[in-house]
Amino acid sequence: MKLTALKNYLPILTWAKEYDREVLLSDLLAAVIVTIMLIPQSLAYALLAGLPPQMGLYASMLPLVAYGIFGTSRTLSVGPVAVVSLMTASAIGHIASAGSTSYIEAALLLAFLSGVFLLGMGILRMGFLANFLSHPVIAGFITASGIIIAFSQLKHILGIKADGESLFSLLHSLYESVGSTNLTTVAVGLPTLIFLFWVRSGLKPLLVRAGLSDKAAGMLAKTGPVLGIIATSYAAYYFDLGSKGVVLVGEVPTGLPSLQMPKLGHDAWRELMMSAVFISIIGFVESVSVGHTLAAKRRQRITPNQELIGLGAANIAASFSGGYPVTGGFARSVVNFDAGAVTPAAGMFTAVGIGAAAMYFTPYLAFLPKATLAATIIVAVLSLVDFSILKKSWGYARSDFIAVMTTLLITLLLGVETGVACGVFASLALHLYKTSVPHMAVVGEVPGTEHYRNINRHKVITHNDILSLRIDESLYFANAGFIEDRVYELVDANPAIQHVILMCTAVNEIDLSALEVLESINQRLQDSGITLHLSEVKGPVMDVLDKTDFIKHLSGKVFLSHHLGIAKIREQGKEDHTASSDWNI
């Protein structure tokens, strides 16, 4: 394999040759900052996924190294994220009880299946499949997921037991258990929650007034969760809060994860397959979105198909090293970018930092209250909730609003997997509906030009005997019948018509069903003494038509431009033009 081709699959060969001392220092600084932020996040997201806290740390080690080798984004930080953690819990929650050996094995297998799916899509260059998840669907899904995640963590803040995959099942479970609230747990969780909310907006101005630069203050403000962990862990140790009903993380194994093959023969692998597909696509869309945004700020670019390979390798690495499904996270990637990361080596150094934490600092996590981790999750996910998309989509396109609302409500009512599946279905159904009823306009000549525009929008020149009809969509099986009916309707309404010209400026494709309809239109118009013409047919479409008998049987001609077609027909001695108001449409 040539070196250039190898670089396409191993982006590390590109950026590694440019590595120098200055870049090293920038990456090291970014790694230190992201490591401090990532430790509490990793622990918290493992809790959200129903997994032991150390698995969050494990999912933040080798996956970062694997992505650094195969990924194309210079600043994307890969690891556990809130939405994927929720989807992981949802996928394996009905297979085994949270925290059990079977549950952990299912999580490892889910990461492996996700990695294989992503890797396969990347090798086959199928990144386009992610386009089936429109922005409104993603926005609705993430907003609903953020709400569900926040409510799911209230049980840890209140010190009660509550379960449920949908919002209403969660609320019902919380309502039934609220009577057994542990006030000591509330005394830990609620102040931590308030503190973390304050840190997001209040700590930075305070540090700036103390003399720190704006950038330094912003970085330190993001370490708020670490302060919360230290303070509450010390309080739990000093006041023996565990004996007062406060649930603590407990003993966390010290050391690096052992490398082992996930249990491929797990009984639930068939049930996990579809969940792996959903998790992969959601994670890929989120990751690519973040990657594109950050790359654009430095005039860099990412390659979506190679990103699939990078994320696939990261998930496979997670499955072999005791982790669970991962993807590129928005918050940590922004911190990584702002901290000055220049290359993916920053992520690799972060993996080393997380590894050091797993080896030397896990004993100090034994007294960490789960309420603190729950507060960390709530503060993080509420930033994902964005109801403004409802107003924006309502004002822009009702179809997008329907997609948002469908995804949002179904996710809240029935859970995350059902929600995203229905969202995809809604997007595809709405797309099919819109393209099955394409916009078609009778057009006329703008005086003094060779341009043709909609007669209902512009004062144009038309001709009684010529119907100029612009079709603003490709022709395929779903809309062919509508187009046929519209042509006949206009012809029947205007008996003087002798020529019909279909203006194909927006037609990018004509499938076999549509071709048969065009043949039918041509024959019926010809039987009625009306000639059918085409104009402005694109080259690739014309190439396809030339392979058929349609052009041979066409009663009229195919004109290079619509204006030329009108001129040719008029030269044959047709009648004078009339005002557009004469048209009965």
mmCIF file of all heavy atoms in Angstrom, residues 164-192:
data_model
loop_
_atom_site.group_PDB
_atom_site.id
_atom_site.type_symbol
_atom_site.label_atom_id
_atom_site.label_comp_id
_atom_site.label_asym_id
_atom_site.label_seq_id
_atom_site.Cartn_x
_atom_site.Cartn_y
_atom_site.Cartn_z
ATOM 1 N N GLY A 164 -37.248 3.352 35.749
ATOM 2 C CA GLY A 164 -38.146 3.622 34.629
ATOM 3 C C GLY A 164 -37.376 4.094 33.423
ATOM 4 O O GLY A 164 -36.408 4.841 33.556
ATOM 5 N N GLU A 165 -37.804 3.635 32.228
ATOM 6 C CA GLU A 165 -37.123 4.037 30.995
ATOM 7 C C GLU A 165 -37.746 5.267 30.363
ATOM 8 O O GLU A 165 -37.110 5.939 29.559
ATOM 9 C CB GLU A 165 -37.156 2.880 29.990
ATOM 10 C CG GLU A 165 -36.309 1.687 30.406
ATOM 11 C CD GLU A 165 -36.203 0.659 29.312
ATOM 12 O OE1 GLU A 165 -36.760 0.899 28.216
ATOM 13 O OE2 GLU A 165 -35.575 -0.388 29.539
ATOM 14 N N SER A 166 -38.992 5.562 30.719
ATOM 15 C CA SER A 166 -39.664 6.744 30.173
ATOM 16 C C SER A 166 -39.862 7.772 31.279
ATOM 17 O O SER A 166 -39.739 7.460 32.471
ATOM 18 C CB SER A 166 -41.019 6.361 29.575
ATOM 19 O OG SER A 166 -41.909 5.953 30.596
ATOM 20 N N LEU A 167 -40.178 8.993 30.874
ATOM 21 C CA LEU A 167 -40.341 10.062 31.855
ATOM 22 C C LEU A 167 -41.470 9.760 32.828
ATOM 23 O O LEU A 167 -41.321 9.933 34.047
ATOM 24 C CB LEU A 167 -40.609 11.385 31.127
ATOM 25 C CG LEU A 167 -40.879 12.593 32.041
ATOM 26 C CD1 LEU A 167 -39.671 12.882 32.925
ATOM 27 C CD2 LEU A 167 -41.250 13.818 31.215
ATOM 28 N N PHE A 168 -42.592 9.272 32.332
ATOM 29 C CA PHE A 168 -43.744 9.080 33.201
ATOM 30 C C PHE A 168 -43.572 7.885 34.134
ATOM 31 O O PHE A 168 -44.037 7.907 35.267
ATOM 32 C CB PHE A 168 -45.013 8.951 32.356
ATOM 33 C CG PHE A 168 -45.370 10.230 31.658
ATOM 34 C CD1 PHE A 168 -45.109 10.404 30.304
ATOM 35 C CD2 PHE A 168 -45.928 11.288 32.362
ATOM 36 C CE1 PHE A 168 -45.410 11.601 29.672
ATOM 37 C CE2 PHE A 168 -46.228 12.485 31.737
ATOM 38 C CZ PHE A 168 -45.972 12.641 30.389
ATOM 39 N N SER A 169 -42.890 6.848 33.658
ATOM 40 C CA SER A 169 -42.610 5.738 34.563
ATOM 41 C C SER A 169 -41.639 6.173 35.655
ATOM 42 O O SER A 169 -41.751 5.745 36.809
ATOM 43 C CB SER A 169 -42.045 4.545 33.783
ATOM 44 O OG SER A 169 -40.829 4.880 33.146
ATOM 45 N N LEU A 170 -40.702 7.054 35.304
ATOM 46 C CA LEU A 170 -39.781 7.597 36.298
ATOM 47 C C LEU A 170 -40.522 8.448 37.327
ATOM 48 O O LEU A 170 -40.309 8.312 38.545
ATOM 49 C CB LEU A 170 -38.711 8.450 35.609
ATOM 50 C CG LEU A 170 -37.452 7.755 35.113
ATOM 51 C CD1 LEU A 170 -36.612 8.715 34.286
ATOM 52 C CD2 LEU A 170 -36.637 7.228 36.284
ATOM 53 N N LEU A 171 -41.386 9.339 36.833
ATOM 54 C CA LEU A 171 -42.138 10.215 37.748
ATOM 55 C C LEU A 171 -43.028 9.398 38.683
ATOM 56 O O LEU A 171 -43.140 9.700 39.877
ATOM 57 C CB LEU A 171 -42.987 11.200 36.935
ATOM 58 C CG LEU A 171 -42.219 12.279 36.166
ATOM 59 C CD1 LEU A 171 -43.165 13.103 35.307
ATOM 60 C CD2 LEU A 171 -41.451 13.181 37.134
ATOM 61 N N HIS A 172 -43.655 8.363 38.136
ATOM 62 C CA HIS A 172 -44.512 7.511 38.956
ATOM 63 C C HIS A 172 -43.695 6.803 40.038
ATOM 64 O O HIS A 172 -44.110 6.739 41.209
ATOM 65 C CB HIS A 172 -45.215 6.481 38.074
ATOM 66 C CG HIS A 172 -46.104 5.536 38.832
ATOM 67 N ND1 HIS A 172 -47.291 5.935 39.417
ATOM 68 C CD2 HIS A 172 -45.956 4.202 39.120
ATOM 69 C CE1 HIS A 172 -47.847 4.903 40.024
ATOM 70 N NE2 HIS A 172 -47.057 3.843 39.865
ATOM 71 N N SER A 173 -42.523 6.299 39.636
ATOM 72 C CA SER A 173 -41.664 5.603 40.591
ATOM 73 C C SER A 173 -41.135 6.559 41.658
ATOM 74 O O SER A 173 -41.075 6.219 42.844
ATOM 75 C CB SER A 173 -40.502 4.944 39.848
ATOM 76 O OG SER A 173 -39.707 4.183 40.712
ATOM 77 N N LEU A 174 -40.760 7.768 41.246
ATOM 78 C CA LEU A 174 -40.292 8.772 42.205
ATOM 79 C C LEU A 174 -41.403 9.155 43.181
ATOM 80 O O LEU A 174 -41.175 9.291 44.391
ATOM 81 C CB LEU A 174 -39.789 10.012 41.464
ATOM 82 C CG LEU A 174 -38.456 9.900 40.725
ATOM 83 C CD1 LEU A 174 -38.239 11.100 39.813
ATOM 84 C CD2 LEU A 174 -37.300 9.784 41.724
ATOM 85 N N TYR A 175 -42.612 9.314 42.667
ATOM 86 C CA TYR A 175 -43.761 9.697 43.502
ATOM 87 C C TYR A 175 -44.038 8.628 44.569
ATOM 88 O O TYR A 175 -44.319 8.959 45.726
ATOM 89 C CB TYR A 175 -44.993 9.901 42.631
ATOM 90 C CG TYR A 175 -46.254 10.205 43.403
ATOM 91 C CD1 TYR A 175 -46.458 11.467 43.954
ATOM 92 C CD2 TYR A 175 -47.225 9.223 43.590
ATOM 93 C CE1 TYR A 175 -47.616 11.751 44.678
ATOM 94 C CE2 TYR A 175 -48.381 9.490 44.298
ATOM 95 C CZ TYR A 175 -48.564 10.759 44.848
ATOM 96 O OH TYR A 175 -49.706 11.028 45.572
ATOM 97 N N GLU A 176 -43.939 7.371 44.178
ATOM 98 C CA GLU A 176 -44.226 6.288 45.118
ATOM 99 C C GLU A 176 -43.155 6.159 46.195
ATOM 100 O O GLU A 176 -43.441 5.687 47.301
ATOM 101 C CB GLU A 176 -44.341 4.959 44.366
ATOM 102 C CG GLU A 176 -45.622 4.825 43.544
ATOM 103 C CD GLU A 176 -45.792 3.432 42.990
ATOM 104 O OE1 GLU A 176 -44.755 2.745 42.774
ATOM 105 O OE2 GLU A 176 -46.949 3.013 42.783
ATOM 106 N N SER A 177 -41.920 6.593 45.875
ATOM 107 C CA SER A 177 -40.806 6.400 46.808
ATOM 108 C C SER A 177 -40.413 7.657 47.560
ATOM 109 O O SER A 177 -39.556 7.605 48.449
ATOM 110 C CB SER A 177 -39.579 5.875 46.053
ATOM 111 O OG SER A 177 -39.881 4.697 45.355
ATOM 112 N N VAL A 178 -41.015 8.793 47.213
ATOM 113 C CA VAL A 178 -40.565 10.062 47.795
ATOM 114 C C VAL A 178 -40.747 10.104 49.307
ATOM 115 O O VAL A 178 -40.037 10.829 50.021
ATOM 116 C CB VAL A 178 -41.302 11.246 47.129
ATOM 117 C CG1 VAL A 178 -42.763 11.319 47.583
ATOM 118 C CG2 VAL A 178 -40.574 12.558 47.399
ATOM 119 N N GLY A 179 -41.668 9.289 49.814
ATOM 120 C CA GLY A 179 -41.890 9.262 51.263
ATOM 121 C C GLY A 179 -40.707 8.726 52.042
ATOM 122 O O GLY A 179 -40.576 8.992 53.253
ATOM 123 N N SER A 180 -39.837 7.983 51.388
ATOM 124 C CA SER A 180 -38.675 7.408 52.075
ATOM 125 C C SER A 180 -37.403 8.216 51.813
ATOM 126 O O SER A 180 -36.289 7.685 51.913
ATOM 127 C CB SER A 180 -38.471 5.959 51.624
ATOM 128 O OG SER A 180 -38.309 5.878 50.221
ATOM 129 N N THR A 181 -37.569 9.488 51.473
ATOM 130 C CA THR A 181 -36.424 10.361 51.206
ATOM 131 C C THR A 181 -35.475 10.399 52.399
ATOM 132 O O THR A 181 -35.903 10.525 53.551
ATOM 133 C CB THR A 181 -36.907 11.787 50.896
ATOM 134 O OG1 THR A 181 -37.694 11.765 49.709
ATOM 135 C CG2 THR A 181 -35.728 12.729 50.700
ATOM 136 N N ASN A 182 -34.179 10.290 52.105
ATOM 137 C CA ASN A 182 -33.147 10.375 53.143
ATOM 138 C C ASN A 182 -32.661 11.823 53.216
ATOM 139 O O ASN A 182 -32.025 12.321 52.286
ATOM 140 C CB ASN A 182 -31.987 9.433 52.798
ATOM 141 C CG ASN A 182 -30.917 9.417 53.868
ATOM 142 O OD1 ASN A 182 -30.133 10.341 53.990
ATOM 143 N ND2 ASN A 182 -30.892 8.348 54.668
ATOM 144 N N LEU A 183 -32.984 12.496 54.285
ATOM 145 C CA LEU A 183 -32.680 13.926 54.402
ATOM 146 C C LEU A 183 -31.188 14.200 54.424
ATOM 147 O O LEU A 183 -30.737 15.256 53.963
ATOM 148 C CB LEU A 183 -33.349 14.494 55.656
ATOM 149 C CG LEU A 183 -34.885 14.480 55.641
ATOM 150 C CD1 LEU A 183 -35.425 15.068 56.946
ATOM 151 C CD2 LEU A 183 -35.420 15.259 54.450
ATOM 152 N N THR A 184 -30.416 13.261 54.961
ATOM 153 C CA THR A 184 -28.961 13.452 54.974
ATOM 154 C C THR A 184 -28.409 13.452 53.548
ATOM 155 O O THR A 184 -27.534 14.245 53.198
ATOM 156 C CB THR A 184 -28.277 12.340 55.785
ATOM 157 O OG1 THR A 184 -28.880 12.252 57.077
ATOM 158 C CG2 THR A 184 -26.794 12.629 55.954
ATOM 159 N N THR A 185 -28.963 12.543 52.718
ATOM 160 C CA THR A 185 -28.555 12.503 51.306
ATOM 161 C C THR A 185 -28.934 13.799 50.601
ATOM 162 O O THR A 185 -28.152 14.349 49.819
ATOM 163 C CB THR A 185 -29.208 11.314 50.591
ATOM 164 O OG1 THR A 185 -28.837 10.110 51.249
ATOM 165 C CG2 THR A 185 -28.775 11.240 49.141
ATOM 166 N N VAL A 186 -30.142 14.304 50.891
ATOM 167 C CA VAL A 186 -30.576 15.575 50.306
ATOM 168 C C VAL A 186 -29.635 16.695 50.742
ATOM 169 O O VAL A 186 -29.290 17.585 49.940
ATOM 170 C CB VAL A 186 -32.023 15.899 50.731
ATOM 171 C CG1 VAL A 186 -32.425 17.287 50.235
ATOM 172 C CG2 VAL A 186 -32.982 14.853 50.191
ATOM 173 N N ALA A 187 -29.186 16.658 52.001
ATOM 174 C CA ALA A 187 -28.283 17.688 52.525
ATOM 175 C C ALA A 187 -26.928 17.656 51.820
ATOM 176 O O ALA A 187 -26.195 18.655 51.835
ATOM 177 C CB ALA A 187 -28.091 17.499 54.030
ATOM 178 N N VAL A 188 -26.587 16.512 51.212
ATOM 179 C CA VAL A 188 -25.350 16.419 50.425
ATOM 180 C C VAL A 188 -25.614 16.791 48.968
ATOM 181 O O VAL A 188 -24.911 17.616 48.379
ATOM 182 C CB VAL A 188 -24.762 14.991 50.499
ATOM 183 C CG1 VAL A 188 -23.575 14.859 49.542
ATOM 184 C CG2 VAL A 188 -24.328 14.666 51.909
ATOM 185 N N GLY A 189 -26.645 16.182 48.393
ATOM 186 C CA GLY A 189 -26.891 16.332 46.965
ATOM 187 C C GLY A 189 -27.392 17.699 46.558
ATOM 188 O O GLY A 189 -26.937 18.258 45.546
ATOM 189 N N LEU A 190 -28.322 18.269 47.301
ATOM 190 C CA LEU A 190 -28.925 19.558 46.912
ATOM 191 C C LEU A 190 -27.914 20.700 46.935
ATOM 192 O O LEU A 190 -27.822 21.465 45.956
ATOM 193 C CB LEU A 190 -30.125 19.859 47.804
ATOM 194 C CG LEU A 190 -30.966 21.066 47.387
ATOM 195 C CD1 LEU A 190 -31.493 20.885 45.963
ATOM 196 C CD2 LEU A 190 -32.133 21.266 48.363
ATOM 197 N N PRO A 191 -27.119 20.868 48.018
ATOM 198 C CA PRO A 191 -26.102 21.936 47.991
ATOM 199 C C PRO A 191 -25.077 21.733 46.870
ATOM 200 O O PRO A 191 -24.623 22.710 46.267
ATOM 201 C CB PRO A 191 -25.435 21.825 49.367
ATOM 202 C CG PRO A 191 -26.455 21.180 50.232
ATOM 203 C CD PRO A 191 -27.173 20.222 49.334
ATOM 204 N N THR A 192 -24.717 20.476 46.628
ATOM 205 C CA THR A 192 -23.770 20.208 45.528
ATOM 206 C C THR A 192 -24.374 20.631 44.200
ATOM 207 O O THR A 192 -23.695 21.236 43.357
ATOM 208 C CB THR A 192 -23.413 18.714 45.484
ATOM 209 O OG1 THR A 192 -22.883 18.312 46.745
ATOM 210 C CG2 THR A 192 -22.392 18.429 44.401
#
